[in-house]
Amino acid sequence: MQPLQIQNSLTRKKEVFKALNSPHVGMYVCGPTVYSNVHLGNVRTFLSFDIIYRYLKFIGYKVRYVRNITDVGHLVGDTDEGEDKIGKMARLQKLEPMEIVHKYTNDFHDVMRVFNILTPSIEPTATGHIIEQIASIEKIIDNGYGYEVNGNVYFSVRTFSEDYSYGELSGRKIDELMSNSRALDGQSEKRDPLDFALWKKADETHLMRWPSPWGVGFPGWHLECSVMSTKYLGDRFDIHGGGMDLKFPHHECEIAQNVAANKTENPVGYWIHGNMLTVNGRKMSKSEGNGFTPEELITGNHQLLKRGYSPMTVRFFMMMGHYASTLDFSNDALIAAEKGLSKLTNAVEALGKLEGSSELNKDVDVAELSQKCYDAMNDDFNTPMLIAILFEGVKWINSATDGRISLSKDQISALKSLYSDFVNDVLGLSSEASENSMTGAEGNEDISTNLLDLLVELRSDAKANKDYAGADRIRNTLSNMGISIKDGKDGSSWSHE
Amino acid sequence: MQPLQIQNSLTRKKEVFKALNSPHVGMYVCGPTVYSNVHLGNVRTFLSFDIIYRYLKFIGYKVRYVRNITDVGHLVGDTDEGEDKIGKMARLQKLEPMEIVHKYTNDFHDVMRVFNILTPSIEPTATGHIIEQIASIEKIIDNGYGYEVNGNVYFSVRTFSEDYSYGELSGRKIDELMSNSRALDGQSEKRDPLDFALWKKADETHLMRWPSPWGVGFPGWHLECSVMSTKYLGDRFDIHGGGMDLKFPHHECEIAQNVAANKTENPVGYWIHGNMLTVNGRKMSKSEGNGFTPEELITGNHQLLKRGYSPMTVRFFMMMGHYASTLDFSNDALIAAEKGLSKLTNAVEALGKLEGSSELNKDVDVAELSQKCYDAMNDDFNTPMLIAILFEGVKWINSATDGRISLSKDQISALKSLYSDFVNDVLGLSSEASENSMTGAEGNEDISTNLLDLLVELRSDAKANKDYAGADRIRNTLSNMGISIKDGKDGSSWSHE
């Protein structure tokens, strides 16, 4: 079997994965800033890392997965100036900032649940780690890489870059960065334009603020991730992920802060960046009017959508692209995904009903298929390749269902465990209705199943009694509901179209 | 209409509710300590305050509802000594404390969602407010009511009681408390046995600890609620709730802390305490083996349960008792609740199908019924009385459905809005399947409904064709699934038994 290889954004190479403290793996992913409803680009990012988390666990690692909630310090424009995103929304909605935080954290959790994205091990918040952030700033200042001016504290990129490399992750050279950045206008307190805020002074009008050795204020945006990742995963840990747009300056600053505070070089083993979503070839954005929400995508309630698509269709669609490639949303692509998913789940359902023979089918090599599934995922979590391989097996299953080939009991049992492993556990494709055993949704599914079985029997009886009108009526009503009846040699059965 | 009256635990009187800053209402409820799965007693408490939250909003108040998550400082035995509950569980499960916190916070949220308990406005955590707790301790010390010994800080109950009253909420007299408490053994650092910890020193082995002016440690359990309630609701706010078992010492200490830190007397306008659950007449507890979990109650997977009960049955059952009375769990009581809920929801469903006449039925006074619903809720949120009144209206609906009386269009429309208001909005009884518009569960419900309608038609056809065996087969299969077919003068219909 191929060993697991990961495309490391830091080295720009595909590298064999070696955990620092195997079988334990520490993974940190930058979570949402909870000032508005989560957008689909975020969903794609968290889905990509959900697959990575699932696969690492699947192959036996004990993963501590930390994904934070940014609830303070992220300023409008992602720079050091301007209003706090959450503070601004609190002002606009006339709510306390923590009401904004709670409202959009709930929205985020709801969306993650709908798409069957697993919850991480720890979900720390920036406001929950102010003391740790202050302690980290003190270390950075003590080590000579931070300076205070009028109650603000900045990170000195120039001083840092004299001792350590800066710009490695984003592939930028410090001299070019320096010469490309706008000269300071004389008003700025910063010594250099590349310097960034570790602590910001807050005046009386600022809603979220805390006392610190430098006066009342709040932490800089980049700092929280440095502090929370190392608090829960150690000064050095295995994997750090996030969206491509966070690579610079956010992740570059994180590395600098970690090194400056803890003097540990290479604080992160593997950096992984997810790519963005486009819509009909153009970047998805609210201002372009092509930035629909997860809910609009599911309900179909948006001008660019012909109709709604189920959460598992969207999940499957997103996995049909590799996490590091851009992915283009279009109605055609979603419809194709819906068909593909339906083909896959119908095959898995049919597999459950197959009865095997005692004879091995020598043209069918399930072990090889399984091997190829692992190899696909071991090749930098290549989900589109995995899906293509799973469809090779679907051909066997469909041929066996139609009676064109036969499979042995052992082959069927091996296929069942393969599809259960890779479709349910790794790809996380759940049956749409089996969300939570406590909600009663499964109960409904059972009721539907029982009712459909009864209707199929009644239709067979009608046909046997030559009541063809009655039989057609059942078939047509079900067809209108998206359920098709198939007549086979062993009787009739129903399936979702 | 009667004004809203609340039984105030502080004054032991039923008092007319007057908001400090109407139409705004600030309400704080002590949330769970997230070190294990939430137990049913907690569910009852949060359900009681869910009703209060819903009703206050329903009658027009703008409620800021704060319910905390205790993720540090709550010690085993609820005293000042012993291991931190979360730290202990982290040690036992070999997890980081914040993994324990995340795991059981998720469980708590899942259970709240299943029972249709609304999320509060803000859900602050103790670890997210260490700085505020330290600031509060400093104020208490400055005001003369706290003292430090060896890195621990205690609240001086005796000093406080010389200036303010202590024991008012729990009805205890300070002298009796003093004489009843065990004498200090000489080893204790406390000046008086009634003193309680505001800050505890933590040694190296303690997992959760923060720097403070008194050294490294963690806050006392009672402090977080004082700090978080006043941070988000102000030094004085309207309602504070929690389970009866928290009245002393937790809530008594909260009052003392608030007064000592802010010098505001009567920091809380109305104290409300929910009562406990018993099982077959005995206190529910894990050690007695009668403490089943919410999930066991729903699945029926516990020796004391004959079968499972749906979340809405449990919700309805709990509302059949007044929040301030004990409530006894038994299979018979749950079965009775299930029948009652089914009767109520069937009537609401039938109401939707009623066609009114042009003539007013003078024996039916919907306005008076509505008045009585408000009066019941205004009488200290008396849900059992509300339910009894709703059943008065059910009689009218059933009589109208059977054709024994007729109602005017206006009367039907008034009844519809009354039942929608009080059954859905106030009592929060949702249709079991309509959990989340995004999960597709509603779609399943639609499928079942369509299939059932089709089966009822097929059965009618079979009867018309004198195929009685076929008709009975449909009826019997549905009956096995808990669905009954009723034949009426306008045709047949189905309902859940």
Side-chain angles (χ1 to χ4, degrees), chain A residues 307-377:
Chain A
R307 59 179 174 83
Y309 303 92
S310 79
M312 283 306 111
T313 295
V314 175
R315 186 175 170 107
F316 187 71
F317 166 72
M318 289 192 177
M319 290 182 308
M320 285 170 71
H322 185 247
Y323 75 85
S325 311
T326 57
L327 182 68
D328 191 47
F329 256 88
S330 69
N331 281 285
D332 289 349
L334 282 161
I335 289 167
E338 195 175 60
K339 281 190 185 148
L341 177 61
S342 170
K343 199 172 158 186
L344 182 61
T345 48
N346 282 340
V348 172
E349 221 174 284
L351 182 59
K353 293 175 191 160
L354 275 183
E355 284 179 22
S357 66
S358 57
E359 206 174 323
L360 195 78
N361 182 331
K362 285 182 184 158
D363 297 331
V364 167
D365 189 339
V366 183
E368 189 195 48
L369 190 78
S370 168
Q371 189 60 65
K372 285 158 75 180
C373 288
Y374 279 97
D375 286 347
M377 288 303 288

Side-chain angles (χ1 to χ4, degrees), chain B residues 184-214:
Chain B
L184 295 174
D185 57 6
Q187 300 287 320
S188 175
E189 306 167 336
K190 293 184 188 178
R191 293 183 190 160
D192 270 311
L194 287 183
D195 294 354
F196 55 90
L198 296 169
W199 185 262
K200 295 274 292 176
K201 183 167 66 177
D203 61 25
E204 292 289 325
T205 65
H206 205 89
L207 294 166
M208 288 183 286
R209 54 212 190 96
W210 294 266
S212 81
W214 317 284

Side-chain angles (χ1 to χ4, degrees), chain A residues 63-65 94-96 98-100 102-103 106-107 109-111 113-114 119-123 125 127-132 134 209-211 231-232 294-295 298-299 311 432-433 435-441 444-452 454-455 457-458 461 465 467 470 473-474 477-478 481 483 496, chain B residues 63-65 94-96 98-100 102-103 106-107 109-111 113-114 119-123 125 127-132 134 209-211 231-232 294-295 298-299 311 432-433 435-441 444-452 454-455 457-458 461 465 467 470 473-474 477-478 481 483 496:
Chain A
V63 187
R64 182 179 291 171
Y65 175 18
K94 293 203 173 71
L95 290 172
E96 147 73 38
M98 280 298 159
E99 287 181 285
I100 297 291
H102 188 64
K103 178 176 168 179
N106 280 340
D107 170 74
H109 287 158
D110 286 346
V111 171
R113 191 167 49 246
V114 163
T119 189
S121 321
I122 307 180
E123 203 173 37
T125 63
T127 61
H129 297 78
I130 302 292
I131 291 176
E132 290 85 347
I134 290 172
R209 54 213 190 93
W210 294 265
K231 169 161 182 172
Y232 296 111
E295 191 161 1
I298 294 166
T299 59
E432 298 276 352
E435 285 294 299
N436 187 320
S437 64
M438 289 202 289
T439 62
N444 276 325
E445 180 75 344
D446 288 347
I447 289 176
S448 296
T449 303
N450 289 340
L451 294 177
L452 284 166
L454 175 61
L455 283 163
E457 281 175 41
L458 289 170
D461 292 354
N465 296 331
D467 172 14
R473 179 171 167 203
I474 294 175
T477 307
L478 294 188
M481 292 162 62
I483 294 157
H496 292 282
Chain B
V63 187
R64 182 178 292 170
Y65 175 17
K94 293 203 173 75
L95 291 171
E96 147 73 38
M98 279 298 159
E99 287 181 285
I100 296 291
H102 188 64
K103 178 174 168 181
N106 281 340
D107 169 74
H109 287 157
D110 286 346
V111 171
R113 196 167 46 248
V114 163
T119 188
S121 319
I122 307 180
E123 202 172 38
T125 62
T127 61
H129 297 78
I130 301 292
I131 292 177
E132 290 84 346
I134 290 172
R209 54 212 190 96
W210 294 266
K231 169 161 183 174
Y232 296 111
E295 192 161 358
I298 294 166
T299 59
E432 298 278 352
E435 284 294 298
N436 188 321
S437 63
M438 290 202 288
T439 60
N444 276 325
E445 180 74 345
D446 288 349
I447 290 177
S448 296
T449 303
N450 289 339
L451 296 176
L452 285 167
L454 176 61
L455 284 163
E457 281 175 43
L458 289 170
D461 292 355
N465 296 330
D467 172 13
R473 176 169 167 204
I474 295 176
T477 307
L478 294 188
M481 291 162 64
I483 294 157
H496 293 281

Side-chain angles (χ1 to χ4, degrees), chain B residues 162-388:
Chain B
E162 283 161 9
D163 297 339
Y164 301 98
S165 67
Y166 178 86
E168 202 178 336
L169 178 67
S170 55
R172 297 171 198 223
K173 294 211 159 50
I174 185 79
D175 297 335
E176 287 173 18
L177 281 170
M178 289 284 180
S179 62
N180 287 341
S181 54
R182 267 181 294 180
L184 295 174
D185 57 6
Q187 300 287 320
S188 175
E189 306 167 336
K190 293 184 188 178
R191 293 183 190 160
D192 270 311
L194 287 183
D195 294 354
F196 55 90
L198 296 169
W199 185 262
K200 295 274 292 176
K201 183 167 66 177
D203 61 25
E204 292 289 325
T205 65
H206 205 89
L207 294 166
M208 288 183 286
R209 54 212 190 96
W210 294 266
S212 81
W214 317 284
V216 172
F218 60 94
W221 173 42
H222 310 308
L223 190 61
E224 56 166 302
C225 289
S226 282
V227 164
M228 297 191 286
S229 60
T230 54
K231 169 161 183 174
Y232 296 111
L233 301 175
D235 287 354
R236 292 192 65 211
F237 59 94
D238 298 298
I239 296 174
H240 193 311
M244 198 77 95
D245 51 326
L246 295 179
K247 206 188 259 186
F248 189 88
H250 188 60
H251 290 161
E252 202 70 80
C253 295
E254 261 191 78
I255 297 176
Q257 290 166 159
N258 285 12
V259 174
N262 307 319
K263 297 194 170 179
T264 32
E265 293 200 60
N266 298 318
V268 174
Y270 303 82
W271 281 90
I272 305 180
H273 287 95
N275 213 325
M276 63 180 185
L277 280 182
T278 55
V279 180
N280 298 324
R282 289 160 66 204
K283 186 169 188 260
M284 181 184 275
S285 87
K286 275 188 194 167
S287 54
E288 294 233 23
N290 67 354
F292 36 83
T293 65
E295 192 161 358
E296 285 164 345
L297 183 57
I298 294 166
T299 59
N301 187 19
H302 188 280
Q303 49 164 356
L304 284 177
L305 296 165
K306 284 187 194 150
R307 58 180 175 85
Y309 303 91
S310 78
M312 283 308 110
T313 296
V314 176
R315 186 176 170 107
F316 187 72
F317 166 71
M318 288 192 177
M319 290 182 307
M320 285 169 74
H322 185 248
Y323 75 83
S325 310
T326 56
L327 182 67
D328 191 48
F329 256 88
S330 69
N331 281 285
D332 290 347
L334 282 160
I335 289 167
E338 194 174 60
K339 281 191 185 147
L341 176 61
S342 171
K343 199 173 160 189
L344 182 62
T345 50
N346 283 341
V348 172
E349 220 173 287
L351 182 60
K353 293 176 191 160
L354 275 184
E355 285 179 22
S357 67
S358 58
E359 207 174 324
L360 195 78
N361 182 331
K362 286 181 184 160
D363 297 332
V364 167
D365 189 340
V366 183
E368 190 196 47
L369 190 77
S370 168
Q371 189 61 65
K372 284 158 76 180
C373 288
Y374 280 96
D375 285 347
M377 287 303 287
N378 283 345
D379 183 12
D380 197 25
F381 314 101
N382 195 326
T383 51
M385 200 194 289
L386 171 64
I387 290 170

